[in-house]
Amino acid sequence: MRVLIISGSRARLPDSVYPLGPAIVGTVARRAGCEVGWFDALRHANPAQALKQTIAAFTPDVCFFSIRNIDSGAFPSPELHYEDHTALVESCRCSSDAPIILGGSGFSLMPEAFMKLLVPNAGVVGEGEAVIAELLQTIAAGNLPQGIITAPRTTTGGIILADRDLFDANWYYTHGGVANIQTKRGCGFSCIYCTYPKLEGHGLRSRPPEVVVEEIASLVKMGIRHFFFVDAVFNRPESHAAGICEEIIRQGLNISFSAYFAPTGDLTEFPNLLKRAGCEAVEFGTDSLSDPVLEALQKGFTASEAMAYAQRLATVDIPQCHNLILGGPGETLETMDESVARLDTLTPRAVIATIGLRVFPGTRLAELTAERGGNPSMDLESLAPMFYIEDAVAESVVEKTAVWVDARPGWICPGLKKRYNLRYLVRQRERRGRKGVLWTLF
């Protein structure tokens, strides 16, 4: 069977991200004996036309179409990525009779909306590698899958090692600066806006450290030496992250890496271990440094705990970036001032400031949004992005954010396009001439 794996993502900011999920699905299809082709919408100026040409040359028996992002989630000027998918699916439909099956994290968040918009044969919610072999057998038998199919979650440590020739990992390393590695799935935190628990569950399913580092070592042989751990939170639990660091050191790998961190933990030697293993940057999901807002967001730590953890990592000179949400639940003018003042005392290399919160179905934030009422156009099943902005700061948060970002060279605001356009960021990377995550160049 000839299987075409299509990555529909066109997002190049903040970096070009290797389509790991579609590559895993393609790898499973290969193991099932299929001939696998791939198409990457990011690589083409006119992806709809290029996809027609790919389909004509490859003549697939089935097209698996991955939707990674719905939109950029950046208020007040979000980019609507889902609009690109309509033209791509139409290219599939008019170029081939092969069934079209949707999947990916974006699809899994809002499957009914995508089914209505794109009208595929079927769609897979969840971890596609768990069901693709069965789907291929069904198609080979002449039976077309229909509707929404819910995939079971993979078992602990069962994350498939992707064939990185699919979607060309070296191209992404050249253009994006890092290779992405997943060490676990799931998230034990309960942030009210987060989609990770819906996509991956609250329970952690961790890969053994030696398996993680084996994957890293295989990419080092390809000339890749900069990595980003894409877990929801890399340092939870710290013992698992420490085990990965120890294995990197044991194998003598000369690499650098960065990851998403929660600003909380208590292993005494962890900062030194990170540094010795090659940690070059830490991106904190801090969101606020004001306790009333942290409590409203259900972050699971206090402002003093977050500041203390950041100060611990600063002792080993690891550059830090803090994600800051301005205008979310519980926010007031006073809490915004407090967060900004406390971030100034930490002097991080970068701050990524977002205004309000993108609301997704199935989250506590969606419930809060519905409870507010008074918005006749509110439709949580629509793909058009909706944002929560606290009433107490709604009239001033955009203006205040602009002032704060302009006054601080390391601050970035995607929604206001401040230090966040493709041409500027590409120039930054070219000027510094180095790999790694982009914010470290500020």
Side-chain angles (χ1 to χ4, degrees):
M1 183 179 295
R2 299 169 68 81
V3 176
L4 181 62
I5 309 294
I6 302 167
S7 172
S9 175
R10 297 270 292 155
R12 294 194 63 181
L13 291 174
D15 267 320
S16 303
V17 179
Y18 177 79
L20 187 57
I24 290 174
V25 169
T27 301
V28 176
R30 276 181 172 173
R31 293 181 183 178
C34 297
E35 182 177 352
V36 176
W38 56 271
F39 177 84
D40 190 347
L42 186 61
R43 305 277 290 275
H44 300 277
N46 187 342
Q49 182 60 36
L51 180 54
K52 290 180 181 179
Q53 296 170 354
T54 297
I55 290 173
F58 186 68
T59 61
D61 297 305
V62 59
C63 296
F64 287 94
F65 190 103
S66 175
I67 298 171
R68 180 176 182 268
N69 298 106
I70 300 174
D71 54 71
S72 65
F75 183 87
S77 54
E79 297 178 6
L80 307 181
H81 301 311
Y82 67 86
E83 294 184 339
D84 295 325
H85 303 321
T86 303
L88 290 169
V89 169
E90 186 57 32
S91 288
C92 293
R93 188 170 286 118
C94 70
S95 303
S96 171
D97 293 329
I100 301 168
I101 301 176
L102 303 182
S105 56
F107 175 79
S108 295
L109 288 175
M110 303 186 72
E112 292 85 1
F114 276 112
M115 293 293 286
K116 181 178 180 180
L117 175 70
L118 303 177
V119 198
N121 295 87
V124 176
V125 171
E127 298 169 10
E129 65 267 32
V131 297
I132 186 173
E134 182 178 347
L135 285 175
L136 292 172
Q137 290 176 358
T138 299
I139 295 168
N143 301 313
L144 294 183
Q146 295 182 340
I148 296 174
I149 301 162
T150 301
R153 293 193 172 110
T154 55
T155 58
T156 301
I159 302 171
I160 300 296
L161 186 68
D163 291 342
R164 297 273 180 155
D165 62 306
L166 295 168
F167 298 99
D168 191 355
N170 277 306
W171 186 91
Y172 275 91
Y173 184 52
T174 298
H175 291 84
V178 295
N180 45 350
I181 300 288
Q182 189 172 42
T183 83
K184 71 176 81 69
R185 287 179 181 165
C187 183
F189 286 92
S190 300
C191 306
I192 65 170
Y193 57 83
C194 187
T195 59
Y196 270 102
K198 182 176 180 179
L199 293 171
E200 300 183 359
H202 283 285
L204 297 180
R205 293 165 290 146
S206 302
R207 301 168 71 192
E210 59 271 19
V211 174
V212 173
V213 179
E214 178 185 347
E215 182 177 13
I216 293 172
S218 70
L219 292 171
V220 168
K221 292 178 181 177
M222 296 169 54
I224 296 173
R225 293 192 173 276
H226 297 78
F227 298 88
F228 193 94
F229 293 122
V230 297
D231 311 359
V233 179
F234 175 64
N235 66 322
R236 174 63 67 93
E238 276 187 337
S239 57
H240 183 254
I244 292 171
C245 292
E246 290 166 352
E247 186 64 17
I248 291 171
I249 295 168
R250 189 188 70 79
Q251 292 197 25
L253 297 181
N254 180 22
I255 65 167
S256 66
F257 66 87
S258 51
Y260 300 118
F261 276 60
T264 177
D266 54 15
L267 289 182
T268 304
E269 295 301 318
F270 190 52
N272 285 317
L273 190 59
L274 284 169
K275 186 73 172 181
R276 289 171 54 212
C279 182
E280 70 163 357
V282 165
E283 187 166 330
F284 284 123
T286 309
D287 294 353
S288 175
L289 283 175
S290 181
D291 284 333
V293 178
L294 290 171
E295 183 176 355
L297 295 175
Q298 297 180 14
K299 293 296 295 183
F301 52 80
T302 65
S304 61
E305 288 170 340
M307 294 181 72
Y309 194 84
Q311 290 162 348
R312 281 182 60 207
L313 289 195
T315 63
V316 294
D317 195 29
I318 296 177
Q320 299 176 18
C321 173
H322 289 259
N323 285 278
L324 174 65
I325 297 168
L326 294 162
E331 195 82 270
T332 65
L333 296 177
E334 291 75 21
T335 61
M336 290 196 300
D337 287 339
E338 186 174 43
S339 288
V340 172
R342 287 174 170 173
L343 276 171
D344 284 344
T345 67
L346 293 177
T347 63
R349 176 75 62 85
V351 171
I352 300 174
T354 59
I355 300 169
L357 283 164
R358 170 56 158 104
V359 182
F360 286 104
T363 62
R364 173 57 184 152
L365 183 64
E367 296 174 0
L368 287 177
T369 303
E371 289 168 6
R372 293 173 80 179
N375 183 357
S377 65
M378 187 174 71
D379 180 6
L380 289 176
E381 296 305 319
S382 170
L383 290 171
M386 184 193 321
F387 293 88
Y388 184 108
I389 298 178
E390 190 65 62
D391 291 340
V393 299
E395 294 184 1
S396 59
V397 63
V398 172
E399 181 180 353
K400 279 183 164 291
T401 301
V403 171
W404 284 322
V405 173
D406 286 341
R408 294 162 175 80
W411 284 43
I412 305 161
C413 183
L416 297 178
K417 299 293 190 291
K418 290 186 176 293
R419 302 187 186 93
Y420 196 80
N421 67 72
L422 187 60
R423 183 176 299 176
Y424 170 77
L425 293 174
V426 168
R427 281 203 309 267
Q428 285 289 96
R429 189 179 292 286
E430 291 175 347
R431 183 167 65 88
R432 299 296 181 94
R434 65 182 296 273
K435 303 292 186 185
V437 291
L438 267 174
W439 61 260
T440 61
L441 305 181
F442 287 91

